[in-house]
Amino acid sequence: MSPQRRCTRPACLRPAVATLTYVYADRTAVLGPLAVYAEPHSYDLCAAHAERLSAPKGWEVLRLQFDATATQVPTSDDLEALADAVREAAHVPPPTDPPAAGRRGGHLRVLGPQD
């Protein structure tokens, strides 16, 4: 993940803080926290453009809670929560003791700070 992604609006150089995706079947625009990775069919927006976002007539804008001042680099707590969510979704029990840095543990690998 890039340490700082820019707003995808033309000529805007501000850092992105939110991600916009469209659910065409439901005629809904979803604005939420900045996605971990840039996706080809989503749009990263700065705080100013996220605030002023509007949708076409007949569409609904769903605004999820996010902190526009939050750091963009995930913390170890965020990564552990993500790993727990993946294990839960895959119905894989968590390891009994955490693996050492750089060693494989289940289907996820723990990386040390130099990785």
Side-chain angles (χ1 to χ4, degrees):
M1 178 171 82
S2 171
Q4 186 165 18
R5 295 198 313 250
R6 300 275 180 209
C7 182
T8 54
R9 294 293 303 256
C12 183
L13 300 176
R14 292 182 289 249
V17 297
T19 297
L20 170 67
T21 55
Y22 292 102
V23 182
Y24 293 98
D26 295 334
R27 299 176 82 174
T28 304
V30 181
L31 182 67
L34 186 64
V36 176
Y37 298 103
E39 296 289 334
H41 300 290
S42 63
Y43 305 91
D44 295 336
L45 300 176
C46 65
H49 286 119
E51 173 101 11
R52 295 190 314 241
L53 175 74
S54 63
K57 189 173 186 173
W59 281 60
E60 178 184 356
V61 177
L62 178 60
R63 294 178 187 271
L64 303 176
Q65 294 287 7
F66 66 94
D67 184 5
T69 62
T71 61
Q72 296 180 20
V73 178
T75 65
S76 62
D77 288 343
D78 294 336
L79 297 176
E80 287 176 23
L82 178 60
D84 290 341
V86 170
R87 282 190 199 101
E88 184 177 323
H91 302 292
V92 175
T96 53
D97 54 349
R103 222 179 73 211
R104 289 191 56 83
H107 64 284
L108 299 175
R109 194 171 87 162
V110 177
L111 300 176
Q114 66 276 18
D115 295 334

